[in-house]
Amino acid sequence: MKQTMWLENQTLGTDFILLGLFSQSKYRTFLYSLIFIIFIVALTGNATLVLLIYSNLHLHTPMYFFISQLSLMDMMYISVTVPKMLLDQVIGIHNISVPSCGTQMFLYVTLAGAEFFLLAAMSYDRYVAICHPLRYSILMNPRVCILLGLVCWFLGSIDGFLITPITMNFPFCKSREIKHFFCDVLALLKLSCSDTSLYETVMYLCCVLMLLIPVTVITSSYSLILLTVYRMNSATGCRKAFVTCSSHITVVILFYGAAIYTYMLPASYHTAENDMIVSVFYTILTPVLNPLIYSLRNKDVTAALKKVLWSESV
């Protein structure tokens, strides 16, 4: 009993140490500078996309509402991990307190879970728009869109509230060095001196469920879309549907591919280095690619941006 209390006190009183992304590289300064540029581009691109959507009446449609939610999540997502990592490199201190680690983990898990379901909602929106265009305004009215958005945030927060307290309550009596650039759940569990196998199994099943439901919705939606597009006689309609859906599919492959590797493959396939590299895809690269995918390939967004820039120049 005394030993357990001592371990708990050690857990609460000792900071963790984040080893960082490029701890073994000779080009740390250059690589962190590159990450900083990517971070600024991601924030600027997503913020611009959100402002354009909310300020332009022509973009007040269900599809752009979901895109604005995705951009908002991406801005928060990349801000949870990257600023701390860059600050550690600048000041040379890689410590993170237990409460800060728990907060970072909660926000990271919540935003990841919310984005899983949001991408499913976006695929359903495209399914209704292409397969049931005459009923689109009824099936995807503003109340339905807001409800779907709230459900995505709610489901993500449930994931965060379940995983974070359980993970942080394990006694950590091994090394305090987290072999990651943020407080990742799996990296933190490796530091625990208690048996976490049951918890890891339950968490694995929960993650499979959280991935399986959205993936089923996305696969079904795009399968029906492809079937509908194949039957179209209009070449213009086919092209427009293909451009829109290909953008969504690109995001889905990047985000879900990295998530499936991280949370669904057996532990034998994982190494600390590979886990960090894969994490870069959905914590850093996806947030910077999303605004580029949804703006450069979208005539409505580029037209709205040109209108804003033109009005400011005049």
Side-chain angles (χ1 to χ4, degrees), residues 123-140:
S123 68
Y124 173 73
D125 169 68
R126 291 300 83 205
Y127 158 73
V128 176
I130 294 172
C131 300
H132 302 283
L134 299 179
R135 293 193 294 165
Y136 181 68
S137 59
I138 299 173
L139 295 175
M140 296 301 294

Side-chain angles (χ1 to χ4, degrees), residues 23 55 60 77 88 119-120 158 161 167 179 227 239 242 265:
S23 57
S55 63
H60 288 186
Y77 202 35
D88 288 349
L119 291 173
I158 288 179
F161 279 118
T167 303
K179 294 182 179 179
L227 184 61
R239 193 180 307 109
F242 177 78
L265 288 183

Side-chain angles (χ1 to χ4, degrees), residues 248-261:
H248 296 181
I249 292 172
T250 302
V251 174
V252 167
I253 291 174
L254 284 173
F255 196 73
Y256 278 91
I260 288 171
Y261 169 85

Side-chain angles (χ1 to χ4, degrees), residues 90-309:
V90 172
I91 65 177
I93 300 175
H94 298 266
N95 290 27
I96 183 168
S97 66
V98 174
S100 297
C101 188
T103 302
Q104 188 184 59
M105 182 186 297
F106 170 76
L107 292 173
Y108 156 74
V109 172
T110 296
L111 290 166
E115 192 158 331
F116 287 150
F117 290 102
L118 182 66
L119 291 173
M122 292 174 71
S123 68
Y124 173 73
D125 169 68
R126 291 300 83 205
Y127 158 73
V128 176
I130 294 172
C131 300
H132 302 283
L134 299 179
R135 293 193 294 165
Y136 181 68
S137 59
I138 299 173
L139 295 175
M140 296 301 294
N141 61 66
R143 290 183 62 182
V144 171
C145 293
I146 293 174
L147 180 62
L148 284 174
L150 290 174
V151 168
C152 293
W153 283 100
F154 176 71
L155 292 174
S157 65
I158 288 179
D159 198 25
F161 279 118
L162 287 176
I163 290 178
T164 306
I166 298 175
T167 303
M168 297 305 297
N169 275 322
F170 279 109
F172 301 103
C173 57
K174 295 182 181 179
S175 170
R176 310 298 293 185
E177 294 183 345
I178 302 175
K179 294 182 179 179
H180 220 295
F181 60 93
F182 63 94
C183 286
D184 179 63
V185 178
L186 298 178
L188 205 60
L189 288 177
K190 294 177 182 178
L191 305 183
S192 177
C193 54
S194 61
D195 184 12
T196 62
S197 57
L198 178 60
Y199 173 58
E200 289 183 41
T201 302
V202 174
M203 188 175 66
Y204 170 80
L205 294 174
C206 290
C207 290
V208 168
L209 185 63
M210 282 198 68
L211 287 170
L212 188 61
I213 294 174
V215 166
T216 301
V217 173
I218 291 169
T219 304
S220 301
S221 297
Y222 286 122
S223 297
L224 293 170
I225 288 172
L226 290 173
L227 184 61
T228 302
V229 169
Y230 177 75
R231 294 173 178 173
M232 281 183 179
N233 294 322
S234 171
T236 304
C238 287
R239 193 180 307 109
K240 185 176 180 180
F242 177 78
V243 169
T244 302
C245 292
S246 62
S247 299
H248 296 181
I249 292 172
T250 302
V251 174
V252 167
I253 291 174
L254 284 173
F255 196 73
Y256 278 91
I260 288 171
Y261 169 85
T262 302
Y263 296 106
M264 293 183 67
L265 288 183
S268 58
Y269 288 86
H270 291 266
T271 64
E273 292 75 17
N274 288 342
D275 286 350
M276 279 195 288
I277 292 172
V278 172
S279 296
V280 169
F281 279 93
Y282 59 86
T283 58
I284 299 176
L285 293 184
T286 301
V288 78
L289 289 176
N290 281 347
L292 297 176
I293 291 171
Y294 288 115
S295 60
L296 295 179
R297 300 186 61 184
N298 192 302
K299 293 181 180 179
D300 294 333
V301 174
T302 52
L305 181 60
K306 288 177 182 178
K307 184 178 179 181
V308 171
L309 294 175

